[in-house]
Amino acid sequence: MKVFENIVDLQNELFEVRKEGKQVGLVPTMGALHEGHASLIERSVKENAVTVVSVFLNPTQFNDKGDLDRYPRTLEADCKLIEACGAQYVFAPTVAEMYPMPDTRQFEFPPQSTVMEGKKRPGHFNGVCQVVSRLFYIVRPNRAYFGEKDWQQIAVVKRLVDYINADVEIVECPIIRDEDGLAKSSRNSLLAADERAIAPNIYRILKASTEWQNSLTIKETHSRVIAEINAIEGLEVEYFDIVDGNTLLAVNEWADSAYIVGCITVYCGKTPIRLIDHIKYKG
Ligand code: PAF
């Protein structure tokens, strides 16, 4: 496995790869890799002759500097995991390499980029689009792999692909959970033991709520999910939106859409650590 910090060196290598007619898979990450990332890398390795894993903690997508400062940085361990998954290349550029000058491009894809995370973290999806579009220009992958854990991000990236006419297939990979249901996330490593112990309640309650559709309205389901999670000391719901799976706009009645998803963000513990998850109700 080769590790590149430099864009031109990676591009020269990929030029040779493409000359041989080989297909390239890209797994964009911000590092602090876990089994969720491993599943994306393994899928790419299976489906492409060559896999590039980018490890870049992208500052432009953090609207909260504390969140960026706290984000775990574990490049050495990340490289071991990437190699064990069978990928050929790691692209780990510096911020100066990735952004030789400030990126002033503005990407807005309403409603997908402006609701939920878009509303709570202004500028977040703009930063995601800035870095993902750069990665697409640099790597020119045939396929790019994204985890359904960041479900809204996939909807935004698909809009980006259409907008910049990128010739890349977006491959959506299922969410990976710990045995107790907690969605795997790089931020989980920041949870203290007592916080880690209460965090699985988020998915437990979301899962239970899928059984309420016959007896409760959307409004009642919404209120009950929030009330049950907030009743657990150390958990506080930031938002819980029940939305149409395509438009990401709020749905008022179960009958109003064939594809309905509940998206949640919960603050866990004293720091607090922000955890996101979602549940499919229909579709
Ligand atoms: O999902 C992530 O880890 C990041 O948002 C991504 C896609 C790697 C862009 O920095």
Side-chain angles (χ1 to χ4, degrees):
M1 186 180 80
K2 291 187 186 168
V3 181
F4 293 95
E5 274 186 23
N6 190 286
I7 293 172
V8 172
D9 292 344
L10 174 70
Q11 284 180 320
N12 287 339
E13 181 87 16
L14 292 176
F15 179 76
E16 296 303 323
V17 164
R18 269 189 293 268
K19 232 167 53 181
E20 292 167 28
K22 290 180 177 164
Q23 301 227 312
V24 178
L26 169 68
V27 183
T29 83
M30 296 201 298
L33 305 186
H34 48 71
E35 290 95 324
H37 296 107
S39 72
L40 308 186
I41 300 167
E42 283 163 1
R43 174 124 179 230
S44 173
V45 167
K46 230 182 253 164
E47 295 179 354
N48 302 278
V50 157
T51 290
V52 180
V53 181
S54 62
V55 179
F56 179 65
L57 190 50
N58 174 37
T60 74
Q61 70 187 74
F62 285 81
N63 62 327
D64 172 357
K65 171 114 180 20
D67 191 21
L68 175 61
D69 292 343
R70 275 194 301 275
Y71 207 90
R73 291 154 168 85
T74 57
L75 183 59
E76 215 179 301
D78 292 343
C79 286
K80 283 195 185 128
L81 179 143
I82 296 167
E83 188 159 30
C85 291
Q88 288 76 9
Y89 303 119
V90 176
F91 176 47
T94 60
V95 173
E97 178 72 5
M98 206 57 177
Y99 295 108
M101 60 190 77
D103 194 331
T104 55
R105 295 173 301 162
Q106 292 291 325
F107 296 96
E108 275 235 344
F109 304 117
Q112 286 86 352
S113 71
T114 50
V115 296
M116 300 189 288
E117 291 297 285
K119 202 190 283 171
K120 295 293 177 191
R121 301 177 69 189
H124 167 66
F125 284 126
N126 189 48
V128 169
C129 289
Q130 288 175 342
V131 76
V132 169
S133 61
R134 277 169 192 258
L135 289 168
F136 287 171
Y137 294 138
I138 294 165
V139 177
R140 293 179 45 218
N142 299 87
R143 297 179 193 84
Y145 294 77
F146 292 86
E148 278 179 356
K149 150 113 191 339
D150 296 304
W151 186 75
Q152 186 175 2
Q153 174 170 273
I154 295 182
V156 173
V157 167
K158 283 180 172 169
R159 295 283 312 272
L160 170 73
V161 165
D162 288 345
Y163 182 72
I164 63 173
N165 294 318
D167 187 14
V168 56
E169 178 191 341
I170 301 302
V171 183
E172 300 175 37
C173 303
I175 201 162
I176 303 291
R177 298 183 180 277
D178 280 333
E179 269 176 26
D180 56 14
L182 180 65
K184 299 257 185 205
S185 162
S186 303
R187 288 187 175 82
N188 293 356
S189 66
L190 302 172
L191 295 169
D194 56 334
E195 297 166 347
R196 176 64 190 77
I198 55 171
N201 285 298
I202 302 167
Y203 184 58
R204 179 182 62 75
I205 293 167
L206 283 181
K207 216 166 102 187
S209 73
T210 60
E211 307 291 324
W212 307 341
Q213 277 175 66
N214 292 334
S215 50
L216 299 186
T217 63
I218 286 195
K219 204 163 166 231
E220 287 163 346
T221 303
H222 177 261
S223 305
R224 185 164 159 194
V225 165
I226 294 176
E228 289 201 6
I229 293 179
N230 284 346
I232 294 161
E233 205 185 322
L235 295 183
E236 194 187 338
V237 175
E238 182 186 30
Y239 69 80
F240 175 52
D241 284 6
I242 299 180
V243 300
D244 176 276
N246 293 312
T247 65
L248 275 57
L249 292 173
V251 176
N252 295 318
E253 307 287 340
W254 293 119
D256 283 355
S257 169
Y259 182 17
I260 299 182
V261 181
C263 301
I264 199 159
T265 299
V266 179
Y267 287 111
C268 181
K270 284 185 212 79
T271 312
I273 305 301
R274 193 170 181 271
L275 300 174
I276 70 171
D277 208 336
H278 67 277
I279 194 89
K280 213 184 262 182
Y281 289 110
K282 274 173 94 177

